[in-house]
Amino acid sequence: MTSQPSLAKADQAPHNPGDSQPENGQTGTNGSDGLKAGLKNRHLSMIAIGGVIGAGLFVGSGSGIAAAGPAILISYALVGLMVVLVMRMLGEMAAARPTSGSFSAYADRALGRWAGFSIGWLYWFFWVVVLAVEATAGAKILNGWVPGVPQWGWALIVMIVLTAANLVSVGSYGEFEFWFAGIKVVAIGAFVAIGVLAVFGVLPGSDNPGDGLAHLTDSGGFMPNGAGSILTGVLMVVFSFMGSEIVTLAAGESEDPQKAVTKATNSVIWRIGIFYLGSIFVVLTLLPWNDKSIVEDGSYVAALNSIGIPHAGEVMNVIVLTAVLSCLNSGLYTASRMAFSLGQRGDAPKAFARTTKRGVPQAAILGSVVFGFLAVWFNYQWPDTVFNFLLNSSGAVALFVWLVICFTQLKMRGIILREEPEKLVVKMWLFPYLTWATIAGISFVLVYMLTDDAGREQVVLSLLVAALVVGISLVRERVQKRKQVSA
């Protein structure tokens, strides 16, 4: 029940190796990096499945359908393919060397300290902003059910409960996520199954006439807004896929990291196929793409209403709340583990690298949630200024992370083959050609975002923040080298 060594130690990295020692000398069931291998296989399996199902799938898909029509299926398929390829690359590295720092630790080794530092902090920043977004979204739903408690009160309660769960043990996080993700999986699975029956007119008691595949072409064709709408759709759906990489961070605290990563990587295709393409296909075949209810009520609620499912709105609110809580739970876990890894490598306060007797990085969790609380406060105090800046300046980080994973894998393949070839159990397909093709695809999306008003602001602000973080990392490196020379 011990996890694999962290990349920093496995590679005998020269920077701050002592920072990875657990608090109070804790060993035994803890991994060599101080984290406890407390995640079971069922936890990892559900984290892998639930990681690709965010609240954005339920809430934001209606806008994408309105923009691209049935062609939004191509948008989802293109982004899904990109995610599959990125996950394959990440899976190759994570299966060989599982670590809580995942792609940040690999970038540190393959591209340089500046890369690991920069992408690690940008990723942490992304998730602490997500904490505020999801806490606010969950608070709105809960406030609608119990209006006696103000929205900020619900946001506080939700954050405190999930922080407490993460502080108890990694097993507590895993158990919460197991049930949260389980509800999402069952809900979408039932939605797809019931929807397909209704589409072909074989669902007993359905109010939908069941027109088969007719709605894919009967309202202006499959591409009613032209081929360019596919790219518009890509911009609208790409960020709903963020989170699929969480399983590679969590694998370092599992009983069998290599097996967990291999299984998660191999299953990402069918997960995206069923949960994203399958569910959107059902919506588009139950209703014409330009049905006003898809935008007004939400795509899933509109589809359920067309079948005649009673209280569809309330049912979907419960599912969306579950997705929000799942995202919050995983966001806090992910941010804290990235902070922990940065602390191990000397790129964050040393306190972040210490663990409690239960193998929990307490300081990293509390540091992440404090910023999350602060972001929630910004959202209520200055939603259109300060918080909007935070939101937009972290908006393109997902694409930056995927790019770094691609460039890192190009270098890490050679390092793994040279040092531990027997651990190359997951291999990127058609290396290096598909890796370069993925880099080209992600770069194209970033450039295309500059032609979109909302996307342009996200890319520009995210690039400014990224430049600032990279600048800080380069200055730190120069200062440290000068200290070493003078010593």
Side-chain angles (χ1 to χ4, degrees):
M1 286 187 64
T2 57
S3 62
Q4 298 276 344
S6 70
L7 186 64
K9 298 195 78 171
D11 294 332
Q12 296 180 342
H15 46 279
N16 299 305
D19 292 347
S20 63
Q21 294 302 313
E23 188 179 56
N24 299 328
Q26 185 70 10
T27 55
T29 57
N30 281 16
S32 63
D33 57 5
L35 295 176
K36 187 173 183 179
L39 291 175
K40 301 177 181 178
N41 288 334
R42 66 182 177 89
H43 293 151
L44 264 293
S45 296
M46 201 56 75
I47 289 169
I49 295 172
V52 298
I53 309 173
L57 175 61
F58 300 104
V59 178
S61 55
S63 299
I65 292 172
I72 194 69
L73 285 170
I74 299 179
S75 303
Y76 273 106
L78 289 173
V79 179
L81 175 61
M82 195 185 304
V83 172
V84 167
L85 295 175
V86 169
M87 280 298 294
R88 187 72 182 183
M89 287 180 251
L90 184 54
E92 175 180 299
M93 297 181 286
R97 299 179 176 185
T99 173
S100 60
S102 188
F103 52 83
S104 173
Y106 308 142
D108 190 308
R109 173 69 196 275
L111 304 179
R113 289 292 304 280
W114 68 271
F117 175 96
S118 302
I119 205 62
W121 277 114
L122 285 172
Y123 192 67
W124 177 87
F125 174 56
F126 173 86
W127 279 110
V128 292
V129 173
V130 166
L131 291 180
V133 174
E134 300 297 339
T136 303
K140 286 181 180 178
I141 296 174
L142 291 167
N143 179 252
W145 294 341
V146 186
V149 179
Q151 276 192 28
W152 66 265
W154 278 120
L156 185 65
I157 291 169
V158 166
M159 292 276 276
I160 288 175
V161 169
L162 293 180
T163 300
N166 275 264
L167 285 171
V168 170
S169 69
V170 68
S172 297
Y173 155 72
E175 201 63 32
F176 267 81
E177 190 56 23
F178 177 82
W179 292 105
F180 287 152
I183 293 172
K184 291 189 294 185
V185 169
V186 170
I188 292 189
F191 175 80
V192 172
I194 293 171
V196 168
L197 294 176
V199 165
F200 295 103
V202 293
L203 180 68
S206 173
D207 294 341
N208 193 289
D211 294 318
L213 306 181
H215 288 319
L216 293 178
T217 56
D218 64 5
S219 298
F222 187 73
M223 298 182 186
N225 297 324
S229 64
I230 294 174
L231 293 176
T232 302
V234 166
L235 300 188
M236 300 182 78
V237 306
V238 65
F239 300 107
S240 64
F241 283 83
M242 191 65 170
S244 54
E245 71 289 333
I246 292 175
V247 68
T248 64
L249 279 79
E253 294 177 79
S254 69
E255 298 166 348
D256 190 345
Q258 190 176 79
K259 181 180 178 181
V261 169
T262 303
K263 184 178 179 181
T265 303
N266 291 336
S267 65
V268 70
I269 297 175
W270 70 259
R271 286 185 276 132
I272 290 175
I274 292 176
F275 299 129
Y276 278 87
L277 293 177
S279 60
I280 298 301
F281 171 82
V282 165
V283 173
L284 289 167
T285 47
L286 283 175
L287 293 165
W289 70 271
N290 54 0
D291 191 302
K292 292 181 179 179
S293 63
I294 291 179
V295 175
E296 293 174 355
D297 301 330
S299 56
Y300 290 82
V301 173
L304 292 174
N305 281 333
S306 77
I307 298 172
I309 302 293
H311 309 294
E314 289 79 2
V315 171
M316 194 51 60
N317 269 340
V318 173
I319 296 171
V320 171
L321 178 63
T322 302
V324 164
L325 294 177
S326 172
C327 193
L328 258 174
N329 192 40
S330 290
L332 180 55
Y333 172 84
T334 305
S336 65
R337 276 9 180 224
M338 186 56 72
F340 169 81
S341 178
L342 288 166
Q344 276 192 311
R345 289 175 274 144
D347 292 334
K350 290 183 179 179
F352 284 3
R354 300 194 186 104
T355 58
T356 65
K357 293 180 179 180
R358 295 184 299 275
V360 173
Q362 181 173 290
I365 292 173
L366 293 176
S368 300
V369 83
V370 163
F371 194 94
F373 275 126
L374 187 62
V376 170
W377 183 68
F378 286 151
N379 194 15
Y380 285 109
Q381 289 294 316
W382 303 290
D384 298 323
T385 52
V386 178
F387 186 72
N388 189 53
F389 170 79
L390 292 177
L391 204 59
N392 284 317
S393 61
S394 64
V397 167
L399 294 170
F400 295 167
V401 167
W402 294 348
L403 269 180
V404 167
I405 290 172
C406 293
F407 282 111
T408 300
Q409 190 261 340
L410 286 171
K411 289 284 191 73
M412 280 299 294
R413 168 67 74 91
I415 294 173
I416 295 170
L417 284 175
R418 184 171 64 252
E419 298 180 355
E420 300 170 297
E422 72 281 359
K423 292 188 176 181
L424 194 64
V425 294
V426 176
K427 294 183 180 180
M428 176 60 183
W429 306 296
L430 297 176
F431 176 83
Y433 307 109
L434 275 183
T435 300
W436 280 111
T438 308
I439 290 172
I442 297 170
S443 300
F444 176 80
V445 172
L446 281 168
V447 172
Y448 189 76
M449 285 179 72
L450 293 173
T451 67
D452 178 76
D453 291 338
R456 186 184 307 113
E457 185 175 7
Q458 288 186 2
V459 172
V460 171
L461 289 178
S462 296
L463 282 172
L464 286 174
V465 171
L468 176 64
V469 176
V470 170
I472 292 172
S473 69
L474 293 176
V475 170
R476 286 180 74 257
E477 278 194 61
R478 184 170 297 181
V479 170
Q480 288 173 355
K481 286 180 180 179
R482 285 179 179 176
K483 287 183 178 179
Q484 290 174 357
V485 171
S486 61

